[in-house]
Amino acid sequence: MRARGRAGPRARAPARWPPQWRRRSTAGAAQGTQCEIAAKAGMIIERVVLNSRPGKNGVPVAENFRLEQSTIPDTVQEGQVRVRTLYLSVDPYMRCRMNEDTGSDYLLPWQLSEVADGGGIGVVEESKNNNFAKGDYVTSFNWPWQTVAILDGSLLQKLVPQLVNGCLSYFLGAAGITGLTALLGIREKGHVTVGANQTMVVSGAAGACGSLAGQIGRLEGCSRVVGIAGTDEKCSILVSEMGFDAAINYKKENVAEQLRKLCPGGVDVYFDNVGGDISDTVISQMNQNSHIILCGQISQYNKDVPYPPPLPPDTEKIQKERNITRERFLVLNYMDKQEASVLQLCQWIQEGKLKVRETVIKGLANIGAAFQSMMSGGNIGKQIVSVSK
């Protein structure tokens, strides 16, 4: 998919945006340097590299990734830290990085036979950086998919486990870019007003971002929240655990009929994670002067189409006639609000107002399978890979 301007990757936000979103990531270069000196001496580690590309219109599979052994230096240089990987995040945006051309001016492609990278959390084992000590928990956007790594301390951010009740992996999801995307998307593009009796619909509602968006919509003032998901289990969790008023199983139910039943006053805010036919159906029932929060279009990510994908003529006509806003939302553009927003998310988590679901797969060797499952809807909440304890 050509992802021009699409919603940003989801991981814990550092004070500066990572090099991989502005120029070629230092992670790949660092790994290249490590491999060059591997013959001299070093620590044997495991890492996951991009084994093959699925093609712009192909469906990614676990075999697109390969686990291999490699070596990192025994010596940590000034300014660096050696970290042991605890958690890695797999996210829909990574599908674009599997293509030779990501279609984005802020995302760089993964290179064949080079280590993949993304959001990660680890613990410092050795430090020659004054900002970090052994035992500190740290995170980075361009964390290499490997068991142990030597990283430049300037690319890391220290984490405070108490902010998330000790659940470190939340910094890759609910207290990270995933949560920021949901919160800032609703605040900046949803135009939710307390007391306005607004109805929100969330597609991809049981996913990492959707499951948070519905809850945040309620916390921000929506009077009714309806989710759309793909299994009865997901729909049940949305209502029983996440506080949604109702949920629609799009694989078993007629979405248009259920929306008319569950949203009798129409739809005022639509948090769109999927695009495609489901979004066309929701838009057909949106009210005058309503708002679409264009978060993602996962149904289109295996297709070579621009972002956001153009609406079908009939749907576009409805959008224009009803003055429905549908603007591209990129969370990177709102990082001046990052700190306050993360603190708000953490407060809601601590108070029990924001329920967090994760699907955790253990073992670096299984990260390809985790990615494949996430892209086909196998996760409930955030997809996490637990690498070590």
Side-chain angles (χ1 to χ4, degrees):
M1 173 177 187
R2 298 198 300 277
R4 302 289 179 189
R6 62 173 296 273
R10 300 163 184 170
R12 173 105 163 100
R16 284 199 303 275
W17 287 103
Q20 71 180 41
W21 291 348
R22 294 175 298 189
R23 58 184 183 274
R24 183 163 301 280
S25 171
T26 59
Q31 299 313 308
T33 301
Q34 291 166 9
C35 290
E36 289 170 9
I37 65 175
K40 296 181 180 179
M43 175 188 297
I44 296 174
I45 56 107
E46 289 187 326
R47 67 179 192 171
V48 171
V49 302
L50 184 65
N51 186 52
S52 59
R53 301 189 190 278
K56 288 186 176 182
N57 297 303
V59 176
V61 294
E63 291 73 22
N64 291 133
F65 301 96
R66 182 176 76 248
L67 180 72
E68 64 181 27
Q69 285 193 339
S70 186
T71 309
I72 62 172
D74 284 328
T75 305
V76 176
Q77 303 297 322
E78 287 298 321
Q80 295 181 330
V81 297
R82 189 179 75 239
V83 293
R84 174 168 51 86
T85 303
L86 299 177
Y87 300 104
L88 294 172
S89 173
V90 290
D91 303 278
Y93 84 91
M94 292 175 172
R95 175 62 185 86
C96 301
R97 300 193 69 193
M98 298 181 78
N99 296 333
E100 193 168 3
D101 176 8
T102 66
S104 168
D105 54 5
Y106 64 90
L107 278 178
L108 290 165
W110 286 325
Q111 299 301 313
L112 290 172
S113 296
E114 290 189 11
V115 66
D117 65 317
I121 290 173
V123 60
V124 175
E125 293 190 324
E126 182 181 353
S127 175
K128 288 191 177 180
N129 185 298
N130 292 333
N131 295 320
F132 304 101
K134 183 178 180 179
D136 283 346
Y137 295 107
V138 293
T139 188
S140 172
F141 275 109
N142 55 335
W143 196 287
W145 287 7
Q146 57 192 56
T147 50
V148 180
I150 295 176
L151 301 175
D152 186 334
S154 66
L155 301 178
L156 299 174
Q157 181 182 13
K158 190 182 298 186
L159 299 176
V160 181
Q162 292 83 356
L163 288 176
V164 288
N165 299 328
C167 300
L168 278 172
S169 56
Y170 286 9
F171 285 117
L172 294 177
I177 286 293
T178 309
L180 285 172
T181 298
L183 176 58
L184 292 172
I186 289 168
R187 287 183 172 177
E188 299 298 324
K189 300 295 184 182
H191 303 278
V192 174
T193 304
V194 176
N197 197 32
Q198 292 168 295
T199 294
M200 171 186 280
V201 170
V202 182
S203 58
C209 197
S211 61
L212 300 173
Q215 297 179 76
I216 292 171
R218 172 83 74 193
L219 289 166
E220 289 291 288
C222 286
S223 60
R224 187 166 181 77
V225 179
V226 175
I228 302 174
T231 70
D232 289 341
E233 179 189 14
K234 290 179 178 180
C235 290
S236 175
I237 288 171
L238 290 175
V239 175
S240 63
E241 294 185 21
M242 306 295 185
F244 284 62
D245 293 284
I248 302 167
N249 183 343
Y250 73 90
K251 292 184 179 179
K252 294 176 60 175
E253 300 176 277
N254 184 302
V255 176
E257 290 180 1
Q258 288 299 308
L259 282 174
R260 282 191 288 271
K261 174 183 175 182
L262 298 172
C263 308
V267 178
D268 301 295
V269 183
Y270 174 39
F271 199 98
D272 185 5
N273 284 302
V274 302
D277 293 340
I278 289 175
S279 290
D280 295 339
T281 302
V282 176
I283 292 171
S284 71
Q285 298 193 35
M286 294 188 73
N287 293 324
Q288 191 76 24
N289 300 318
S290 53
H291 307 283
I292 299 171
I293 303 165
L294 199 58
C295 175
Q297 303 278 281
I298 196 169
S299 71
Q300 308 297 303
Y301 286 174
N302 294 328
K303 302 176 183 178
D304 185 22
V305 294
Y307 187 90
L311 296 172
D314 289 347
T315 306
E316 185 177 20
K317 181 180 179 183
I318 291 172
Q319 180 207 353
K320 291 181 178 179
E321 288 178 347
R322 298 180 190 173
N323 193 35
I324 301 170
T325 62
R326 182 181 183 255
E327 301 171 347
R328 292 181 295 185
F329 173 69
L330 184 62
V331 70
L332 276 66
N333 293 335
Y334 299 92
M335 284 302 100
D336 58 319
K337 302 179 180 180
Q338 172 211 349
E339 185 175 354
S341 298
V342 168
L343 290 175
Q344 175 66 85
L345 292 164
C346 290
Q347 180 181 334
W348 282 335
I349 291 170
Q350 291 173 334
E351 294 172 347
K353 294 180 179 178
L354 190 61
K355 305 295 193 302
V356 183
R357 266 272 185 163
E358 294 180 324
T359 298
V360 181
I361 291 183
K362 294 183 178 180
L364 181 63
N366 297 315
I367 196 166
F371 183 80
Q372 180 180 350
S373 175
M374 179 270 304
M375 287 298 296
S376 59
N379 59 301
I380 298 178
K382 178 69 178 177
Q383 181 70 67
I384 295 289
V385 177
S386 175
V387 178
S388 68
K389 293 184 178 181

mmCIF file of all heavy atoms in Angstrom, residues 256-285:
data_model
loop_
_atom_site.group_PDB
_atom_site.id
_atom_site.type_symbol
_atom_site.label_atom_id
_atom_site.label_comp_id
_atom_site.label_asym_id
_atom_site.label_seq_id
_atom_site.Cartn_x
_atom_site.Cartn_y
_atom_site.Cartn_z
ATOM 1 N N ALA A 256 -25.042 -3.139 7.996
ATOM 2 C CA ALA A 256 -25.961 -2.018 7.770
ATOM 3 C C ALA A 256 -27.210 -2.140 8.638
ATOM 4 O O ALA A 256 -27.641 -1.163 9.276
ATOM 5 C CB ALA A 256 -26.345 -1.954 6.290
ATOM 6 N N GLU A 257 -27.785 -3.335 8.699
ATOM 7 C CA GLU A 257 -28.976 -3.535 9.516
ATOM 8 C C GLU A 257 -28.685 -3.331 10.991
ATOM 9 O O GLU A 257 -29.468 -2.701 11.720
ATOM 10 C CB GLU A 257 -29.541 -4.948 9.289
ATOM 11 C CG GLU A 257 -30.166 -5.165 7.923
ATOM 12 C CD GLU A 257 -30.704 -6.572 7.759
ATOM 13 O OE1 GLU A 257 -30.606 -7.369 8.736
ATOM 14 O OE2 GLU A 257 -31.228 -6.890 6.677
ATOM 15 N N GLN A 258 -27.568 -3.868 11.464
ATOM 16 C CA GLN A 258 -27.221 -3.729 12.868
ATOM 17 C C GLN A 258 -26.930 -2.281 13.244
ATOM 18 O O GLN A 258 -27.282 -1.835 14.338
ATOM 19 C CB GLN A 258 -26.017 -4.619 13.191
ATOM 20 C CG GLN A 258 -26.333 -6.104 13.204
ATOM 21 C CD GLN A 258 -27.376 -6.461 14.246
ATOM 22 O OE1 GLN A 258 -27.255 -6.106 15.414
ATOM 23 N NE2 GLN A 258 -28.436 -7.140 13.820
ATOM 24 N N LEU A 259 -26.292 -1.546 12.349
ATOM 25 C CA LEU A 259 -26.026 -0.134 12.628
ATOM 26 C C LEU A 259 -27.326 0.657 12.744
ATOM 27 O O LEU A 259 -27.459 1.521 13.624
ATOM 28 C CB LEU A 259 -25.141 0.471 11.531
ATOM 29 C CG LEU A 259 -23.648 0.159 11.597
ATOM 30 C CD1 LEU A 259 -22.940 0.716 10.362
ATOM 31 C CD2 LEU A 259 -23.012 0.717 12.869
ATOM 32 N N ARG A 260 -28.269 0.376 11.883
ATOM 33 C CA ARG A 260 -29.558 1.078 11.966
ATOM 34 C C ARG A 260 -30.242 0.775 13.297
ATOM 35 O O ARG A 260 -30.883 1.643 13.904
ATOM 36 C CB ARG A 260 -30.457 0.674 10.794
ATOM 37 C CG ARG A 260 -30.096 1.366 9.482
ATOM 38 C CD ARG A 260 -31.164 1.159 8.420
ATOM 39 N NE ARG A 260 -31.156 -0.216 7.922
ATOM 40 C CZ ARG A 260 -30.422 -0.635 6.890
ATOM 41 N NH1 ARG A 260 -29.623 0.229 6.264
ATOM 42 N NH2 ARG A 260 -30.475 -1.887 6.481
ATOM 43 N N LYS A 261 -30.077 -0.462 13.772
ATOM 44 C CA LYS A 261 -30.695 -0.878 15.024
ATOM 45 C C LYS A 261 -29.968 -0.289 16.234
ATOM 46 O O LYS A 261 -30.611 0.200 17.178
ATOM 47 C CB LYS A 261 -30.698 -2.400 15.102
ATOM 48 C CG LYS A 261 -31.194 -2.970 16.415
ATOM 49 C CD LYS A 261 -31.078 -4.491 16.414
ATOM 50 C CE LYS A 261 -31.464 -5.080 17.775
ATOM 51 N NZ LYS A 261 -31.310 -6.565 17.787
ATOM 52 N N LEU A 262 -28.647 -0.335 16.199
ATOM 53 C CA LEU A 262 -27.849 0.055 17.361
ATOM 54 C C LEU A 262 -27.530 1.541 17.415
ATOM 55 O O LEU A 262 -27.175 2.065 18.471
ATOM 56 C CB LEU A 262 -26.544 -0.746 17.380
ATOM 57 C CG LEU A 262 -26.700 -2.265 17.511
ATOM 58 C CD1 LEU A 262 -25.360 -2.962 17.309
ATOM 59 C CD2 LEU A 262 -27.295 -2.619 18.874
ATOM 60 N N CYS A 263 -27.632 2.216 16.262
ATOM 61 C CA CYS A 263 -27.368 3.660 16.195
ATOM 62 C C CYS A 263 -28.576 4.347 15.562
ATOM 63 O O CYS A 263 -28.483 4.907 14.453
ATOM 64 C CB CYS A 263 -26.108 3.947 15.380
ATOM 65 S SG CYS A 263 -24.653 3.026 15.903
ATOM 66 N N PRO A 264 -29.718 4.324 16.237
ATOM 67 C CA PRO A 264 -30.954 4.861 15.631
ATOM 68 C C PRO A 264 -30.873 6.341 15.304
ATOM 69 O O PRO A 264 -31.583 6.816 14.415
ATOM 70 C CB PRO A 264 -32.016 4.582 16.707
ATOM 71 C CG PRO A 264 -31.253 4.440 17.978
ATOM 72 C CD PRO A 264 -29.943 3.824 17.601
ATOM 73 N N GLY A 265 -30.009 7.069 16.003
ATOM 74 C CA GLY A 265 -29.853 8.498 15.728
ATOM 75 C C GLY A 265 -28.750 8.790 14.738
ATOM 76 O O GLY A 265 -28.376 9.953 14.546
ATOM 77 N N GLY A 266 -28.212 7.729 14.090
ATOM 78 C CA GLY A 266 -27.118 7.921 13.151
ATOM 79 C C GLY A 266 -25.771 7.926 13.856
ATOM 80 O O GLY A 266 -25.676 7.787 15.079
ATOM 81 N N VAL A 267 -24.722 8.103 13.071
ATOM 82 C CA VAL A 267 -23.352 8.063 13.587
ATOM 83 C C VAL A 267 -22.741 9.463 13.514
ATOM 84 O O VAL A 267 -22.781 10.102 12.464
ATOM 85 C CB VAL A 267 -22.490 7.072 12.774
ATOM 86 C CG1 VAL A 267 -21.045 7.062 13.280
ATOM 87 C CG2 VAL A 267 -23.095 5.668 12.823
ATOM 88 N N ASP A 268 -22.187 9.920 14.615
ATOM 89 C CA ASP A 268 -21.594 11.258 14.671
ATOM 90 C C ASP A 268 -20.070 11.231 14.525
ATOM 91 O O ASP A 268 -19.482 12.148 13.963
ATOM 92 C CB ASP A 268 -21.945 11.928 16.005
ATOM 93 C CG ASP A 268 -23.438 12.047 16.206
ATOM 94 O OD1 ASP A 268 -24.070 12.784 15.429
ATOM 95 O OD2 ASP A 268 -23.965 11.396 17.124
ATOM 96 N N VAL A 269 -19.445 10.180 15.058
ATOM 97 C CA VAL A 269 -17.986 10.050 15.013
ATOM 98 C C VAL A 269 -17.654 8.621 14.604
ATOM 99 O O VAL A 269 -18.169 7.669 15.193
ATOM 100 C CB VAL A 269 -17.340 10.357 16.381
ATOM 101 C CG1 VAL A 269 -15.818 10.294 16.276
ATOM 102 C CG2 VAL A 269 -17.789 11.719 16.901
ATOM 103 N N TYR A 270 -16.785 8.486 13.600
ATOM 104 C CA TYR A 270 -16.378 7.159 13.149
ATOM 105 C C TYR A 270 -14.867 7.037 13.249
ATOM 106 O O TYR A 270 -14.133 7.749 12.564
ATOM 107 C CB TYR A 270 -16.841 6.921 11.709
ATOM 108 C CG TYR A 270 -16.331 5.621 11.100
ATOM 109 C CD1 TYR A 270 -16.249 4.448 11.844
ATOM 110 C CD2 TYR A 270 -15.937 5.585 9.760
ATOM 111 C CE1 TYR A 270 -15.788 3.279 11.283
ATOM 112 C CE2 TYR A 270 -15.477 4.401 9.187
ATOM 113 C CZ TYR A 270 -15.399 3.249 9.958
ATOM 114 O OH TYR A 270 -14.932 2.086 9.405
ATOM 115 N N PHE A 271 -14.397 6.144 14.117
ATOM 116 C CA PHE A 271 -12.964 5.871 14.248
ATOM 117 C C PHE A 271 -12.650 4.720 13.298
ATOM 118 O O PHE A 271 -12.950 3.555 13.576
ATOM 119 C CB PHE A 271 -12.616 5.517 15.693
ATOM 120 C CG PHE A 271 -11.154 5.663 16.015
ATOM 121 C CD1 PHE A 271 -10.678 6.803 16.642
ATOM 122 C CD2 PHE A 271 -10.243 4.672 15.679
ATOM 123 C CE1 PHE A 271 -9.333 6.961 16.948
ATOM 124 C CE2 PHE A 271 -8.900 4.813 15.969
ATOM 125 C CZ PHE A 271 -8.434 5.954 16.608
ATOM 126 N N ASP A 272 -12.027 5.061 12.180
ATOM 127 C CA ASP A 272 -11.848 4.111 11.079
ATOM 128 C C ASP A 272 -10.475 3.466 11.110
ATOM 129 O O ASP A 272 -9.459 4.113 10.860
ATOM 130 C CB ASP A 272 -12.058 4.852 9.748
ATOM 131 C CG ASP A 272 -12.012 3.925 8.541
ATOM 132 O OD1 ASP A 272 -11.913 2.697 8.735
ATOM 133 O OD2 ASP A 272 -12.088 4.437 7.406
ATOM 134 N N ASN A 273 -10.453 2.171 11.410
ATOM 135 C CA ASN A 273 -9.210 1.410 11.412
ATOM 136 C C ASN A 273 -9.065 0.488 10.210
ATOM 137 O O ASN A 273 -8.006 -0.119 10.036
ATOM 138 C CB ASN A 273 -9.122 0.541 12.677
ATOM 139 C CG ASN A 273 -8.767 1.331 13.920
ATOM 140 O OD1 ASN A 273 -7.740 1.986 13.983
ATOM 141 N ND2 ASN A 273 -9.630 1.266 14.916
ATOM 142 N N VAL A 274 -10.117 0.346 9.411
ATOM 143 C CA VAL A 274 -10.098 -0.732 8.421
ATOM 144 C C VAL A 274 -10.308 -0.302 6.967
ATOM 145 O O VAL A 274 -9.761 -0.896 6.052
ATOM 146 C CB VAL A 274 -11.129 -1.830 8.774
ATOM 147 C CG1 VAL A 274 -10.856 -2.397 10.157
ATOM 148 C CG2 VAL A 274 -12.556 -1.320 8.674
ATOM 149 N N GLY A 275 -11.130 0.712 6.731
ATOM 150 C CA GLY A 275 -11.426 1.088 5.353
ATOM 151 C C GLY A 275 -12.301 0.055 4.661
ATOM 152 O O GLY A 275 -12.911 -0.807 5.301
ATOM 153 N N GLY A 276 -12.363 0.126 3.340
ATOM 154 C CA GLY A 276 -13.078 -0.879 2.563
ATOM 155 C C GLY A 276 -14.586 -0.843 2.734
ATOM 156 O O GLY A 276 -15.186 0.187 3.065
ATOM 157 N N ASP A 277 -15.216 -2.009 2.526
ATOM 158 C CA ASP A 277 -16.678 -2.108 2.532
ATOM 159 C C ASP A 277 -17.285 -1.721 3.874
ATOM 160 O O ASP A 277 -18.362 -1.108 3.916
ATOM 161 C CB ASP A 277 -17.110 -3.538 2.170
ATOM 162 C CG ASP A 277 -16.768 -3.898 0.734
ATOM 163 O OD1 ASP A 277 -16.554 -2.975 -0.078
ATOM 164 O OD2 ASP A 277 -16.727 -5.115 0.419
ATOM 165 N N ILE A 278 -16.628 -2.099 4.959
ATOM 166 C CA ILE A 278 -17.171 -1.769 6.281
ATOM 167 C C ILE A 278 -17.273 -0.257 6.450
ATOM 168 O O ILE A 278 -18.306 0.272 6.891
ATOM 169 C CB ILE A 278 -16.303 -2.376 7.399
ATOM 170 C CG1 ILE A 278 -16.470 -3.898 7.430
ATOM 171 C CG2 ILE A 278 -16.653 -1.769 8.762
ATOM 172 C CD1 ILE A 278 -15.570 -4.593 8.424
ATOM 173 N N SER A 279 -16.244 0.450 6.050
ATOM 174 C CA SER A 279 -16.264 1.906 6.190
ATOM 175 C C SER A 279 -17.310 2.537 5.279
ATOM 176 O O SER A 279 -17.981 3.501 5.671
ATOM 177 C CB SER A 279 -14.875 2.477 5.892
ATOM 178 O OG SER A 279 -13.973 2.126 6.923
ATOM 179 N N ASP A 280 -17.471 2.002 4.084
ATOM 180 C CA ASP A 280 -18.502 2.526 3.189
ATOM 181 C C ASP A 280 -19.879 2.397 3.837
ATOM 182 O O ASP A 280 -20.722 3.300 3.741
ATOM 183 C CB ASP A 280 -18.482 1.776 1.858
ATOM 184 C CG ASP A 280 -17.189 2.001 1.088
ATOM 185 O OD1 ASP A 280 -16.499 2.999 1.360
ATOM 186 O OD2 ASP A 280 -16.863 1.172 0.213
ATOM 187 N N THR A 281 -20.110 1.274 4.509
ATOM 188 C CA THR A 281 -21.397 1.042 5.170
ATOM 189 C C THR A 281 -21.609 2.014 6.319
ATOM 190 O O THR A 281 -22.700 2.573 6.487
ATOM 191 C CB THR A 281 -21.475 -0.406 5.686
ATOM 192 O OG1 THR A 281 -21.303 -1.310 4.590
ATOM 193 C CG2 THR A 281 -22.800 -0.674 6.358
ATOM 194 N N VAL A 282 -20.569 2.233 7.131
ATOM 195 C CA VAL A 282 -20.692 3.167 8.249
ATOM 196 C C VAL A 282 -20.935 4.582 7.746
ATOM 197 O O VAL A 282 -21.826 5.290 8.242
ATOM 198 C CB VAL A 282 -19.434 3.132 9.131
ATOM 199 C CG1 VAL A 282 -19.532 4.179 10.242
ATOM 200 C CG2 VAL A 282 -19.230 1.751 9.735
ATOM 201 N N ILE A 283 -20.179 4.991 6.744
ATOM 202 C CA ILE A 283 -20.320 6.351 6.210
ATOM 203 C C ILE A 283 -21.732 6.597 5.700
ATOM 204 O O ILE A 283 -22.275 7.706 5.839
ATOM 205 C CB ILE A 283 -19.272 6.599 5.101
ATOM 206 C CG1 ILE A 283 -17.867 6.631 5.717
ATOM 207 C CG2 ILE A 283 -19.545 7.916 4.359
ATOM 208 C CD1 ILE A 283 -16.745 6.647 4.702
ATOM 209 N N SER A 284 -22.355 5.569 5.149
ATOM 210 C CA SER A 284 -23.722 5.733 4.619
ATOM 211 C C SER A 284 -24.725 6.068 5.713
ATOM 212 O O SER A 284 -25.818 6.557 5.418
ATOM 213 C CB SER A 284 -24.163 4.457 3.894
ATOM 214 O OG SER A 284 -24.405 3.402 4.812
ATOM 215 N N GLN A 285 -24.356 5.819 6.972
ATOM 216 C CA GLN A 285 -25.270 6.097 8.079
ATOM 217 C C GLN A 285 -24.770 7.215 8.992
ATOM 218 O O GLN A 285 -25.256 7.383 10.112
ATOM 219 C CB GLN A 285 -25.509 4.814 8.876
ATOM 220 C CG GLN A 285 -26.165 3.725 8.028
ATOM 221 C CD GLN A 285 -26.694 2.571 8.838
ATOM 222 O OE1 GLN A 285 -27.176 2.748 9.961
ATOM 223 N NE2 GLN A 285 -26.644 1.381 8.275
#
